[in-house]
Amino acid sequence: MPSDIWQIDPLTLGAIAAMALATWLTRFAGYWLVRRATVSGRLAAALDAVPGAILTAIIAPMAFATGAAESGAALLTVLLALRLPLIVAVAGGCLGVVVLRMLLG
C-alpha cells in the first residue's frame, strides 16, 4: 500500500473546506431569513415549489442525456411525484432505473 494514499493536496483540501463553508452559510442564511419573515402567501407558495424544482433540476439532464432506462425511470419519477410524496417518487425512480437497466441491458 503506497504511503501517499492518505495525503491530500492543500488546494483540494481548501476547495473542499470552502465548498463546505459555502453550503453551510447558504443553509444558515436561509433559516435565518425565513425565521425573521412571516411565511404566507407568495413566499409560502415559492417555498412549497422548491422541492419539485430541485427534483426537476436533478432528473431533467439525466433524462435527456442518457439511455432509455434512465429516461423511462425519469418519466416514472415524474408520474409518481404527481400523486405521492417526493421521497417515494425518488425511491421509485431509483428502483425503476435499476429494473429498467436489468431489462434493457
Short mmCIF file of all heavy atoms in Angstrom, two decimals, residues 19-74:
data_model
loop_
_atom_site.label_atom_id
_atom_site.label_comp_id
_atom_site.label_asym_id
_atom_site.label_seq_id
_atom_site.Cartn_x
_atom_site.Cartn_y
_atom_site.Cartn_z
N MET A 19 -16.14 24.85 -0.12
CA MET A 19 -17.47 24.40 -0.54
C MET A 19 -18.34 24.04 0.66
O MET A 19 -19.54 24.34 0.68
CB MET A 19 -17.35 23.22 -1.51
CG MET A 19 -16.83 23.62 -2.88
SD MET A 19 -16.79 22.26 -4.04
CE MET A 19 -15.30 21.42 -3.54
N ALA A 20 -17.73 23.41 1.66
CA ALA A 20 -18.49 23.08 2.87
C ALA A 20 -18.95 24.34 3.58
O ALA A 20 -20.11 24.44 4.02
CB ALA A 20 -17.63 22.22 3.80
N LEU A 21 -18.09 25.33 3.67
CA LEU A 21 -18.45 26.59 4.31
C LEU A 21 -19.54 27.31 3.53
O LEU A 21 -20.50 27.82 4.11
CB LEU A 21 -17.21 27.49 4.44
CG LEU A 21 -17.46 28.85 5.09
CD1 LEU A 21 -17.94 28.68 6.53
CD2 LEU A 21 -16.19 29.69 5.04
N ALA A 22 -19.42 27.33 2.20
CA ALA A 22 -20.45 27.98 1.37
C ALA A 22 -21.80 27.28 1.52
O ALA A 22 -22.84 27.93 1.62
CB ALA A 22 -20.01 27.98 -0.09
N THR A 23 -21.78 25.96 1.59
CA THR A 23 -23.02 25.21 1.78
C THR A 23 -23.63 25.53 3.14
O THR A 23 -24.83 25.80 3.25
CB THR A 23 -22.76 23.70 1.67
OG1 THR A 23 -22.21 23.43 0.37
CG2 THR A 23 -24.02 22.90 1.88
N TRP A 24 -22.82 25.54 4.16
CA TRP A 24 -23.31 25.83 5.50
C TRP A 24 -23.85 27.26 5.58
O TRP A 24 -24.94 27.48 6.14
CB TRP A 24 -22.20 25.63 6.53
CG TRP A 24 -22.70 25.88 7.92
CD1 TRP A 24 -23.36 25.01 8.73
CD2 TRP A 24 -22.59 27.11 8.65
NE1 TRP A 24 -23.68 25.61 9.92
CE2 TRP A 24 -23.22 26.90 9.90
CE3 TRP A 24 -22.04 28.34 8.37
CZ2 TRP A 24 -23.29 27.91 10.85
CZ3 TRP A 24 -22.12 29.34 9.33
CH2 TRP A 24 -22.73 29.11 10.56
N LEU A 25 -23.13 28.22 5.01
CA LEU A 25 -23.59 29.61 5.05
C LEU A 25 -24.91 29.79 4.30
O LEU A 25 -25.78 30.53 4.74
CB LEU A 25 -22.52 30.54 4.47
CG LEU A 25 -21.31 30.80 5.36
CD1 LEU A 25 -20.25 31.60 4.61
CD2 LEU A 25 -21.72 31.51 6.64
N THR A 26 -25.05 29.11 3.19
CA THR A 26 -26.29 29.20 2.42
C THR A 26 -27.46 28.66 3.23
O THR A 26 -28.53 29.27 3.30
CB THR A 26 -26.16 28.41 1.11
OG1 THR A 26 -25.07 28.94 0.37
CG2 THR A 26 -27.41 28.52 0.28
N ARG A 27 -27.27 27.51 3.85
CA ARG A 27 -28.34 26.93 4.67
C ARG A 27 -28.64 27.81 5.88
O ARG A 27 -29.81 28.06 6.20
CB ARG A 27 -27.96 25.53 5.11
CG ARG A 27 -27.91 24.55 3.96
CD ARG A 27 -27.58 23.18 4.46
NE ARG A 27 -28.66 22.73 5.33
CZ ARG A 27 -29.40 21.68 5.09
NH1 ARG A 27 -29.19 20.95 4.03
NH2 ARG A 27 -30.36 21.34 5.92
N PHE A 28 -27.61 28.29 6.54
CA PHE A 28 -27.80 29.14 7.71
C PHE A 28 -28.53 30.42 7.34
O PHE A 28 -29.45 30.84 8.02
CB PHE A 28 -26.45 29.46 8.37
CG PHE A 28 -26.56 30.39 9.53
CD1 PHE A 28 -27.00 29.92 10.75
CD2 PHE A 28 -26.25 31.73 9.39
CE1 PHE A 28 -27.12 30.78 11.83
CE2 PHE A 28 -26.37 32.60 10.47
CZ PHE A 28 -26.80 32.12 11.69
N ALA A 29 -28.11 31.05 6.24
CA ALA A 29 -28.76 32.29 5.81
C ALA A 29 -30.22 32.06 5.48
O ALA A 29 -31.08 32.90 5.79
CB ALA A 29 -28.02 32.87 4.61
N GLY A 30 -30.52 30.91 4.84
CA GLY A 30 -31.91 30.61 4.52
C GLY A 30 -32.76 30.48 5.78
O GLY A 30 -33.86 31.05 5.87
N TYR A 31 -32.27 29.74 6.75
CA TYR A 31 -33.00 29.58 8.01
C TYR A 31 -33.14 30.92 8.73
O TYR A 31 -34.18 31.24 9.29
CB TYR A 31 -32.32 28.57 8.93
CG TYR A 31 -32.41 27.16 8.44
CD1 TYR A 31 -31.30 26.34 8.40
CD2 TYR A 31 -33.61 26.61 8.03
CE1 TYR A 31 -31.37 25.03 7.96
CE2 TYR A 31 -33.70 25.31 7.59
CZ TYR A 31 -32.58 24.53 7.56
OH TYR A 31 -32.66 23.24 7.13
N TRP A 32 -32.09 31.71 8.72
CA TRP A 32 -32.10 33.00 9.39
C TRP A 32 -33.11 33.94 8.75
O TRP A 32 -33.87 34.61 9.44
CB TRP A 32 -30.69 33.60 9.35
CG TRP A 32 -30.58 34.89 10.09
CD1 TRP A 32 -30.48 35.06 11.44
CD2 TRP A 32 -30.56 36.19 9.51
NE1 TRP A 32 -30.40 36.40 11.72
CE2 TRP A 32 -30.44 37.11 10.55
CE3 TRP A 32 -30.63 36.66 8.21
CZ2 TRP A 32 -30.41 38.48 10.34
CZ3 TRP A 32 -30.59 38.02 7.99
CH2 TRP A 32 -30.48 38.90 9.05
N LEU A 33 -33.14 33.98 7.41
CA LEU A 33 -34.07 34.86 6.72
C LEU A 33 -35.52 34.43 6.91
O LEU A 33 -36.40 35.26 7.14
CB LEU A 33 -33.75 34.92 5.22
CG LEU A 33 -32.49 35.68 4.84
CD1 LEU A 33 -32.17 35.49 3.37
CD2 LEU A 33 -32.66 37.16 5.16
N VAL A 34 -35.78 33.14 6.83
CA VAL A 34 -37.15 32.65 6.97
C VAL A 34 -37.64 32.82 8.40
O VAL A 34 -38.82 33.09 8.63
CB VAL A 34 -37.25 31.18 6.51
CG1 VAL A 34 -38.59 30.57 6.86
CG2 VAL A 34 -37.03 31.09 5.01
N ARG A 35 -36.75 32.70 9.35
CA ARG A 35 -37.14 32.86 10.74
C ARG A 35 -37.61 34.29 11.01
O ARG A 35 -38.45 34.54 11.85
CB ARG A 35 -35.96 32.51 11.65
CG ARG A 35 -36.31 32.52 13.12
CD ARG A 35 -35.16 32.12 13.96
NE ARG A 35 -34.04 33.02 13.68
CZ ARG A 35 -32.84 32.89 14.21
NH1 ARG A 35 -32.59 31.88 15.00
NH2 ARG A 35 -31.88 33.74 13.93
N ARG A 36 -37.06 35.24 10.30
CA ARG A 36 -37.38 36.64 10.51
C ARG A 36 -38.54 37.12 9.64
O ARG A 36 -38.95 38.27 9.73
CB ARG A 36 -36.16 37.51 10.25
CG ARG A 36 -35.09 37.25 11.31
CD ARG A 36 -33.89 38.09 11.11
NE ARG A 36 -32.83 38.07 12.07
CZ ARG A 36 -32.68 37.40 13.17
NH1 ARG A 36 -33.59 36.59 13.56
NH2 ARG A 36 -31.63 37.48 13.93
N ALA A 37 -39.05 36.27 8.78
CA ALA A 37 -40.14 36.66 7.87
C ALA A 37 -41.39 35.86 8.21
O ALA A 37 -41.32 34.76 8.73
CB ALA A 37 -39.73 36.41 6.43
N THR A 38 -42.51 36.45 7.89
CA THR A 38 -43.77 35.74 8.02
C THR A 38 -43.98 34.95 6.74
O THR A 38 -44.04 35.52 5.65
CB THR A 38 -44.92 36.73 8.23
OG1 THR A 38 -44.65 37.51 9.38
CG2 THR A 38 -46.23 36.01 8.40
N VAL A 39 -44.09 33.65 6.86
CA VAL A 39 -44.22 32.78 5.70
C VAL A 39 -45.70 32.60 5.40
O VAL A 39 -46.40 31.84 6.07
CB VAL A 39 -43.53 31.43 5.92
CG1 VAL A 39 -43.67 30.54 4.71
CG2 VAL A 39 -42.07 31.63 6.27
N SER A 40 -46.16 33.33 4.40
CA SER A 40 -47.54 33.20 3.95
C SER A 40 -47.63 33.72 2.53
O SER A 40 -46.71 34.35 2.02
CB SER A 40 -48.48 33.98 4.87
OG SER A 40 -48.18 35.37 4.79
N GLY A 41 -48.72 33.41 1.88
CA GLY A 41 -48.97 33.92 0.54
C GLY A 41 -47.96 33.46 -0.48
O GLY A 41 -47.70 32.26 -0.63
N ARG A 42 -47.37 34.40 -1.17
CA ARG A 42 -46.45 34.10 -2.27
C ARG A 42 -45.18 33.44 -1.77
O ARG A 42 -44.64 32.56 -2.44
CB ARG A 42 -46.12 35.39 -3.03
CG ARG A 42 -47.34 35.92 -3.77
CD ARG A 42 -47.02 37.16 -4.51
NE ARG A 42 -46.12 36.81 -5.62
CZ ARG A 42 -45.84 37.62 -6.62
NH1 ARG A 42 -46.37 38.81 -6.67
NH2 ARG A 42 -45.04 37.25 -7.57
N LEU A 43 -44.68 33.85 -0.61
CA LEU A 43 -43.46 33.23 -0.07
C LEU A 43 -43.71 31.76 0.25
O LEU A 43 -42.89 30.90 -0.06
CB LEU A 43 -42.97 33.97 1.17
CG LEU A 43 -41.73 33.40 1.85
CD1 LEU A 43 -40.54 33.38 0.88
CD2 LEU A 43 -41.39 34.19 3.09
N ALA A 44 -44.84 31.45 0.84
CA ALA A 44 -45.17 30.06 1.15
C ALA A 44 -45.29 29.24 -0.13
O ALA A 44 -44.81 28.11 -0.20
CB ALA A 44 -46.46 29.99 1.96
N ALA A 45 -45.92 29.81 -1.14
CA ALA A 45 -46.06 29.09 -2.42
C ALA A 45 -44.70 28.86 -3.06
O ALA A 45 -44.44 27.78 -3.61
CB ALA A 45 -46.96 29.89 -3.37
N ALA A 46 -43.83 29.85 -2.99
CA ALA A 46 -42.48 29.69 -3.56
C ALA A 46 -41.70 28.63 -2.80
O ALA A 46 -41.02 27.80 -3.42
CB ALA A 46 -41.74 31.03 -3.52
N LEU A 47 -41.77 28.62 -1.49
CA LEU A 47 -41.05 27.62 -0.71
C LEU A 47 -41.63 26.22 -0.92
O LEU A 47 -40.88 25.23 -0.90
CB LEU A 47 -41.07 27.98 0.78
CG LEU A 47 -40.25 29.21 1.16
CD1 LEU A 47 -40.45 29.54 2.63
CD2 LEU A 47 -38.79 29.00 0.85
N ASP A 48 -42.93 26.13 -1.14
CA ASP A 48 -43.54 24.83 -1.44
C ASP A 48 -43.08 24.29 -2.78
O ASP A 48 -43.07 23.08 -3.00
CB ASP A 48 -45.06 24.93 -1.42
CG ASP A 48 -45.63 25.04 -0.02
OD1 ASP A 48 -44.90 24.68 0.93
OD2 ASP A 48 -46.78 25.47 0.12
N ALA A 49 -42.71 25.16 -3.71
CA ALA A 49 -42.30 24.73 -5.05
C ALA A 49 -40.83 24.30 -5.10
O ALA A 49 -40.42 23.67 -6.07
CB ALA A 49 -42.52 25.87 -6.05
N VAL A 50 -40.05 24.62 -4.10
CA VAL A 50 -38.61 24.32 -4.13
C VAL A 50 -38.30 22.83 -4.27
O VAL A 50 -37.49 22.46 -5.12
CB VAL A 50 -37.90 24.94 -2.90
CG1 VAL A 50 -36.49 24.43 -2.75
CG2 VAL A 50 -37.90 26.46 -3.02
N PRO A 51 -38.91 21.93 -3.50
CA PRO A 51 -38.55 20.51 -3.66
C PRO A 51 -38.80 19.99 -5.07
O PRO A 51 -37.97 19.26 -5.63
CB PRO A 51 -39.44 19.79 -2.64
CG PRO A 51 -39.74 20.81 -1.61
CD PRO A 51 -39.83 22.10 -2.36
N GLY A 52 -39.91 20.35 -5.67
CA GLY A 52 -40.19 19.93 -7.04
C GLY A 52 -39.21 20.51 -8.04
O GLY A 52 -38.79 19.83 -8.99
N ALA A 53 -38.82 21.74 -7.82
CA ALA A 53 -37.85 22.37 -8.72
C ALA A 53 -36.49 21.70 -8.62
O ALA A 53 -35.81 21.48 -9.63
CB ALA A 53 -37.73 23.86 -8.39
N ILE A 54 -36.09 21.34 -7.42
CA ILE A 54 -34.81 20.66 -7.24
C ILE A 54 -34.86 19.27 -7.87
O ILE A 54 -33.92 18.85 -8.55
CB ILE A 54 -34.44 20.59 -5.75
CG1 ILE A 54 -34.12 21.99 -5.23
CG2 ILE A 54 -33.28 19.64 -5.50
CD1 ILE A 54 -33.93 22.09 -3.75
N LEU A 55 -35.96 18.56 -7.67
CA LEU A 55 -36.12 17.24 -8.28
C LEU A 55 -36.04 17.34 -9.80
O LEU A 55 -35.35 16.54 -10.44
CB LEU A 55 -37.45 16.62 -7.84
CG LEU A 55 -37.74 15.22 -8.36
CD1 LEU A 55 -36.72 14.24 -7.82
CD2 LEU A 55 -39.14 14.80 -7.97
N THR A 56 -36.68 18.32 -10.37
CA THR A 56 -36.64 18.53 -11.82
C THR A 56 -35.22 18.85 -12.28
O THR A 56 -34.77 18.33 -13.31
CB THR A 56 -37.60 19.66 -12.22
OG1 THR A 56 -38.90 19.33 -11.77
CG2 THR A 56 -37.61 19.86 -13.72
N ALA A 57 -34.53 19.69 -11.54
CA ALA A 57 -33.16 20.06 -11.92
C ALA A 57 -32.21 18.87 -11.87
O ALA A 57 -31.25 18.80 -12.64
CB ALA A 57 -32.65 21.17 -11.01
N ILE A 58 -32.48 17.92 -11.01
CA ILE A 58 -31.63 16.73 -10.92
C ILE A 58 -31.98 15.73 -12.00
O ILE A 58 -31.11 15.12 -12.62
CB ILE A 58 -31.77 16.09 -9.52
CG1 ILE A 58 -31.16 17.01 -8.46
CG2 ILE A 58 -31.10 14.72 -9.47
CD1 ILE A 58 -31.45 16.59 -7.04
N ILE A 59 -33.27 15.55 -12.25
CA ILE A 59 -33.72 14.50 -13.16
C ILE A 59 -33.62 14.89 -14.63
O ILE A 59 -33.26 14.07 -15.48
CB ILE A 59 -35.16 14.08 -12.81
CG1 ILE A 59 -35.16 13.36 -11.47
CG2 ILE A 59 -35.75 13.19 -13.88
CD1 ILE A 59 -36.53 13.03 -10.97
N ALA A 60 -33.93 16.12 -14.98
CA ALA A 60 -34.02 16.53 -16.39
C ALA A 60 -32.74 16.28 -17.18
O ALA A 60 -32.81 15.70 -18.28
CB ALA A 60 -34.45 17.98 -16.48
N PRO A 61 -31.56 16.66 -16.70
CA PRO A 61 -30.36 16.38 -17.50
C PRO A 61 -30.13 14.89 -17.73
O PRO A 61 -29.75 14.47 -18.82
CB PRO A 61 -29.22 16.98 -16.68
CG PRO A 61 -29.86 17.98 -15.81
CD PRO A 61 -31.23 17.45 -15.52
N MET A 62 -30.41 14.08 -16.71
CA MET A 62 -30.24 12.64 -16.84
C MET A 62 -31.22 12.07 -17.86
O MET A 62 -30.87 11.19 -18.64
CB MET A 62 -30.44 11.96 -15.49
CG MET A 62 -30.32 10.46 -15.56
SD MET A 62 -31.22 9.59 -14.27
CE MET A 62 -32.88 10.15 -14.49
N ALA A 63 -32.43 12.57 -17.86
CA ALA A 63 -33.45 12.02 -18.75
C ALA A 63 -33.13 12.29 -20.22
O ALA A 63 -33.44 11.47 -21.08
CB ALA A 63 -34.81 12.63 -18.41
N PHE A 64 -32.50 13.41 -20.51
CA PHE A 64 -32.23 13.78 -21.90
C PHE A 64 -30.85 13.38 -22.38
O PHE A 64 -30.61 13.34 -23.58
CB PHE A 64 -32.42 15.28 -22.09
CG PHE A 64 -33.84 15.72 -21.90
CD1 PHE A 64 -34.19 16.58 -20.89
CD2 PHE A 64 -34.85 15.23 -22.72
CE1 PHE A 64 -35.50 16.98 -20.71
CE2 PHE A 64 -36.17 15.62 -22.54
CZ PHE A 64 -36.49 16.50 -21.53
N ALA A 65 -29.94 13.08 -21.48
CA ALA A 65 -28.55 12.84 -21.90
C ALA A 65 -28.13 11.37 -21.80
O ALA A 65 -26.99 11.06 -22.09
CB ALA A 65 -27.61 13.69 -21.05
N THR A 66 -29.03 10.50 -21.38
CA THR A 66 -28.64 9.10 -21.19
C THR A 66 -29.56 8.19 -21.98
O THR A 66 -30.28 8.64 -22.86
CB THR A 66 -28.67 8.74 -19.69
OG1 THR A 66 -29.96 9.04 -19.18
CG2 THR A 66 -27.62 9.51 -18.91
N GLY A 67 -29.57 6.91 -21.64
CA GLY A 67 -30.29 5.92 -22.42
C GLY A 67 -31.75 5.78 -22.07
O GLY A 67 -32.32 6.55 -21.29
N ALA A 68 -32.36 4.74 -22.64
CA ALA A 68 -33.79 4.50 -22.48
C ALA A 68 -34.16 4.16 -21.04
O ALA A 68 -35.23 4.57 -20.57
CB ALA A 68 -34.23 3.38 -23.42
N ALA A 69 -33.32 3.42 -20.34
CA ALA A 69 -33.62 3.05 -18.96
C ALA A 69 -33.72 4.29 -18.07
O ALA A 69 -34.66 4.42 -17.27
CB ALA A 69 -32.56 2.10 -18.42
N GLU A 70 -32.80 5.20 -18.23
CA GLU A 70 -32.80 6.41 -17.41
C GLU A 70 -33.97 7.32 -17.77
O GLU A 70 -34.59 7.93 -16.91
CB GLU A 70 -31.47 7.16 -17.56
CG GLU A 70 -30.30 6.44 -16.92
CD GLU A 70 -29.73 5.31 -17.77
OE1 GLU A 70 -30.17 5.14 -18.92
OE2 GLU A 70 -28.85 4.59 -17.27
N SER A 71 -34.28 7.41 -19.07
CA SER A 71 -35.42 8.23 -19.49
C SER A 71 -36.73 7.65 -18.98
O SER A 71 -37.61 8.38 -18.53
CB SER A 71 -35.45 8.35 -21.02
OG SER A 71 -34.29 8.99 -21.48
N GLY A 72 -36.86 6.33 -19.04
CA GLY A 72 -38.06 5.68 -18.50
C GLY A 72 -38.20 5.88 -17.01
O GLY A 72 -39.30 6.12 -16.49
N ALA A 73 -37.08 5.78 -16.30
CA ALA A 73 -37.12 5.98 -14.85
C ALA A 73 -37.45 7.44 -14.51
O ALA A 73 -38.15 7.70 -13.53
CB ALA A 73 -35.78 5.58 -14.23
N ALA A 74 -36.98 8.37 -15.33
CA ALA A 74 -37.32 9.78 -15.11
C ALA A 74 -38.81 10.00 -15.30
O ALA A 74 -39.45 10.71 -14.51
CB ALA A 74 -36.52 10.67 -16.06
#
